[in-house]
Amino acid sequence: MNQQIVSNSIQEINHYNRVLEGNKRYVAKKLSEDPNYFKTLSKGQSPKYLLIGCSDSRAPPNELTETDPGEIFIHRNIANLVIPTDLNLNCVIQYAVEHLHIHNIVVMGHTCCGGVKAAMTQDSVGGLLDLWLNQIKLVYEKHADLIESFVDENDKINCLSQLNVRAQVMNIWKNPIVQKAWQKGNPVMVHGWLFRVETGYIEELLIDQHTPEEMCKVYALKFKLESEKQLSKHVSPAGSPKNNAKKRFLNMQRKLIEHINQLKENNIIDQDVETKEIGGFIESSKDL
Ligand SMILES: [Zn+2]
């Protein structure tokens, strides 16, 4: 028994060392291609894509798309879920959209997804995991008839994987950070991909771009943008231009009433003149 444990431990250590050795080979290869590769990389990033993928070790975004470090901003979790209250993911989306100015967000699911498969069963996989997978069960519940129309079990899983990507794309549409970006005129597009593990190909799912018609209108938030906030800052508080204008208006109104009363006292005003005076006052107040 002890012999077996020692043997297993040696295997684990060897494997672990192999991973670190792999890094050394990676560095050597990159430097042989470009001696300044890592110096350049250290200067900063300007990725064009945010990819939200599954943590599954078979679905590494950079390898699958032949992209280099610095090209894709990546967030991964079990079954590529976009949960509205996920602080981690929301920070990633906000940083990607507002600071990295990324215009393309991709949700990438994959076939043979263990998370999706687990969500389709009644077997518990543990408290937190069950809670997490509930989000996929919601998608299943909505499309149960379609999913169950497939005979093959893998087809059912892959169908739910695809529907799950669509559901997560819609969750991004509903995300306040993305909604705000749209209102500011930032054309953030959200794409849905399904990576087919059995072929290696990525299938682009046809989801209407930027036209979330399926989305209930209450999700389309109306934000007070910075420029409007600045404007209201200058026009509403005490002492602000708008307030001064109001003061000027009240002063002028008071002066006008005094002036009309004086004319009346001197019997040099009739109703027509009064109306004319007031009309002139209103005209002169338009620029306030
Ligand atoms: Zn997965």
Side-chain angles (χ1 to χ4, degrees):
M1 185 64 179
N2 283 344
Q3 185 65 34
Q4 187 62 45
I5 291 171
V6 171
S7 169
N8 286 348
S9 297
I10 290 169
Q11 272 185 25
E12 290 293 333
I13 290 165
N14 284 341
H15 193 275
Y16 175 76
N17 286 335
R18 191 161 63 83
V19 172
L20 287 176
E21 287 303 318
N23 171 253
K24 286 174 190 159
R25 287 194 299 275
Y26 164 77
V27 172
K29 183 172 175 280
K30 284 291 181 189
L31 291 179
S32 70
E33 290 163 0
D34 174 6
N36 292 316
Y37 181 80
F38 293 104
K39 261 186 196 163
T40 308
L41 202 61
S42 69
K43 286 177 185 164
Q45 62 168 338
S46 54
K48 301 286 180 214
Y49 303 90
L50 162 62
L51 189 143
I52 298 160
C54 181
S55 300
D56 193 302
S57 58
R58 298 165 296 177
N62 283 121
E63 284 87 333
L64 300 180
T65 54
E66 259 200 343
T67 45
D68 287 320
E71 288 193 79
I72 306 181
F73 199 59
I74 298 170
H75 176 87
R76 295 172 77 175
N77 60 39
I78 292 175
N80 42 272
L81 296 183
V82 177
I83 295 175
T85 53
D86 184 342
L87 180 66
N88 186 344
L89 173 60
N90 278 311
C91 286
V92 168
I93 293 176
Q94 184 165 16
Y95 190 71
V97 172
E98 295 181 4
H99 295 267
L100 294 172
H101 308 293
I102 283 173
H103 298 307
N104 286 280
I105 302 177
V106 178
V107 176
M108 185 178 80
H110 66 101
T111 56
C112 323
C113 181
V116 171
K117 187 180 177 184
M120 287 180 69
T121 72
Q122 292 171 274
D123 299 328
S124 167
V125 280
L128 283 177
L129 287 169
D130 289 333
L131 212 57
W132 187 259
L133 298 182
N134 262 349
Q135 297 296 318
I136 311 174
K137 289 180 191 285
L138 288 173
V139 182
Y140 175 88
E141 189 181 19
K142 202 173 171 186
H143 303 281
D145 289 346
L146 173 64
I147 295 162
E148 292 304 330
S149 70
F150 290 91
V151 179
D152 186 85
E153 202 56 33
N154 284 333
D155 290 341
K156 287 181 186 178
I157 295 167
N158 295 342
C159 177
L160 181 54
S161 290
Q162 211 175 111
L163 291 167
N164 182 45
V165 170
R166 289 176 186 277
Q168 306 318 316
V169 165
M170 288 183 68
N171 281 345
I172 294 180
W173 286 345
K174 295 170 189 171
N175 186 292
I177 299 157
V178 174
Q179 287 280 328
K180 191 174 182 182
W182 284 349
Q183 194 185 315
K184 285 166 85 175
N186 181 355
V188 176
M189 289 188 286
V190 192
H191 312 270
W193 291 358
L194 186 74
F195 165 55
R196 292 202 172 269
V197 178
E198 62 279 12
T199 64
Y201 284 111
I202 287 170
E203 189 180 310
E204 194 179 7
L205 304 180
L206 293 174
I207 305 172
D208 285 344
Q209 285 297 333
H210 223 257
T211 53
E213 285 164 358
E214 292 174 79
M215 192 172 73
C216 177
K217 69 175 181 182
V218 292
Y219 290 110
L221 302 175
K222 289 177 182 170
F223 296 91
K224 200 165 197 179
L225 302 177
E226 270 323 300
S227 52
E228 291 165 332
K229 277 186 194 165
Q230 287 297 326
L231 194 65
S232 68
K233 210 171 150 188
H234 288 297
V235 293
S236 54
S240 68
K242 187 178 179 182
N243 212 45
N244 289 339
K246 194 179 172 188
K247 271 186 190 166
R248 281 204 303 275
F249 179 86
L250 291 171
N251 277 339
M252 283 179 72
Q253 193 182 40
R254 186 174 48 76
K255 279 181 186 167
L256 177 70
I257 290 166
E258 282 172 10
H259 178 60
I260 289 172
N261 285 341
Q262 211 170 24
L263 291 173
K264 275 181 180 172
E265 278 172 21
N266 296 331
N267 292 323
I268 51 171
I269 187 170
D270 57 21
Q271 193 60 38
D272 285 349
V273 174
E274 189 174 355
T275 308
K276 201 177 159 193
E277 288 284 341
I278 292 170
F281 169 72
I282 291 169
E283 198 58 41
S284 67
S285 305
K286 274 183 180 172
D287 295 335
L288 290 172

